[in-house]
Amino acid sequence: MKQECLKWLMRGGTTVLLAGAVGLLFWQGTRHVSERELSARPQRLAAATVETTGTEAAVSAAETTLHTGTRRTKTASAKRAGQASQETRTAPESTTPAAETVTFPLELNAASAAELEQLPHIGAVLAERITAYRDQIGGFSNREQLLEVEGIGEATLYEIYDLLYLENETFPEPEPEPAESPAPAEVPQPAETAPPATEPPAAAAPAVTFPLDLNQATAAELEQIPEMPPELAEKIVAFRQQIQAFSSVYELLYVDGMTEAYFVQLRDYVQITEERAQ
């Protein structure tokens, strides 16, 4: 038993020694590597510095080249812009052809739409309508046919009438007026028949001789006196019957309705005979 313990102790001591030897060797090797790295670090730093310096120099050179190229590009662009501006200034301002000069009056069947457009109140649209209608009817025969073009009225025609003309202008003959139809024959109207008389017609007033005998004259005879009202004639006869007879023409003033003014006019047309008066 003791022998086995000794064996185990010897084995354990041997293992510890071996482990210590290995650890020592490992530590020495690590130290050696570290010292070499420390000695080589200044060289790597110097190389890195040199590399960085070279890179910065290259970058600086590239920036310089870039700035130089940019300035050249800007200069070239400015030159090209100046040339373009110069070319723009020297180019013609407008390429639109000037309006065609026309001489009035225009021949309506020969004028173009551009010429008709120069007329007052006639634009491009109306000019095209005029030429289209002219082609449709085979040419105008008179200027008044322009009223048949849509958009042209009496006022516009009045403005342009004297600025146009037509060779051999013709106007349609006025249509003959229809013959007057004979008046219808008058239909004879039936003769009007007088309604049957309900009363016999009054007898014509007898002719009288003035002056009238105031005591013999009837009411009808008294009515023959100028401006004698029938009512007053009746009242004179009634008053005469009342007093039995007139003894003087002045008694007429007592008749109801008699006025002095009319009595003055009346007295020259009446009288009283002496025999009757006595």
Side-chain angles (χ1 to χ4, degrees):
M1 184 67 178
K2 292 181 179 180
Q3 291 180 354
E4 290 179 0
C5 292
L6 290 174
K7 287 181 181 180
W8 283 103
L9 290 173
M10 290 178 65
R11 289 179 181 178
T14 303
T15 301
V16 171
L17 290 175
L18 288 173
V22 171
L24 180 63
L25 291 174
F26 179 77
W27 177 78
Q28 289 181 350
T30 302
R31 181 180 179 185
H32 180 68
V33 171
S34 298
E35 289 178 353
R36 284 196 306 176
E37 289 179 356
L38 290 174
S39 61
R41 184 175 296 177
Q43 295 177 356
R44 288 199 299 271
L45 290 174
T49 302
V50 172
E51 184 177 357
T52 302
T53 303
T55 302
E56 291 178 352
V59 171
S60 177
E63 290 178 352
T64 302
T65 304
L66 179 60
H67 292 322
T68 303
T70 302
R71 285 196 298 272
R72 290 177 180 176
T73 302
K74 290 182 179 180
T75 303
S77 299
K79 289 183 179 180
R80 285 195 298 270
Q83 292 176 357
S85 176
Q86 184 67 24
E87 290 175 358
T88 302
R89 287 195 296 270
T90 57
E93 294 183 357
S94 176
T95 58
T96 304
E100 183 179 356
T101 303
V102 298
T103 303
F104 297 105
L106 296 173
E107 213 292 331
L108 182 55
N109 282 333
S112 64
E115 291 174 332
L116 293 173
E117 192 176 342
Q118 307 301 316
L119 293 167
H121 310 293
I122 302 296
V125 175
L126 278 181
E128 292 293 339
R129 288 180 184 172
I130 292 172
T131 56
Y133 185 70
R134 181 180 65 191
D135 295 340
Q136 179 182 349
I137 64 175
F140 293 99
S141 57
N142 58 76
R143 287 167 287 181
E144 292 183 358
Q145 284 183 291
L146 287 171
L147 293 174
E148 300 171 8
V149 178
E150 182 182 358
I152 297 181
E154 294 285 350
T156 304
L157 179 62
Y158 177 80
E159 293 289 336
I160 66 176
Y161 193 86
D162 293 334
L163 300 177
L164 300 169
Y165 75 95
L166 282 170
E167 295 289 345
N168 303 321
E169 185 173 13
T170 58
F171 294 91
E173 296 182 0
E175 296 181 359
E177 295 182 359
E180 295 183 358
S181 58
E186 294 183 359
V187 180
Q189 300 292 333
E192 295 183 359
T193 57
T198 57
E199 295 181 358
V208 297
T209 303
F210 297 107
L212 294 173
D213 186 349
L214 192 57
N215 287 324
Q216 299 292 329
T218 64
E221 290 174 338
L222 292 173
E223 289 180 14
Q224 304 300 314
I225 299 173
E227 301 182 10
M228 171 65 73
E231 296 84 0
L232 185 58
E234 294 290 342
K235 289 180 179 180
I236 292 173
V237 173
F239 183 74
R240 183 182 65 191
Q241 293 175 353
Q242 181 180 356
I243 64 173
Q244 296 181 354
F246 286 101
S247 59
S248 173
V249 295
Y250 286 97
E251 290 177 341
L252 290 173
L253 293 173
Y254 296 105
V255 177
D256 185 21
M258 182 66 67
T259 62
E260 292 182 2
Y262 187 64
F263 172 75
V264 174
Q265 179 181 348
L266 172 66
R267 67 184 179 180
D268 294 333
Y269 292 92
V270 295
Q271 65 179 355
I272 298 176
T273 62
E274 294 179 357
E275 296 179 357
R276 186 63 178 172
Q278 291 177 357

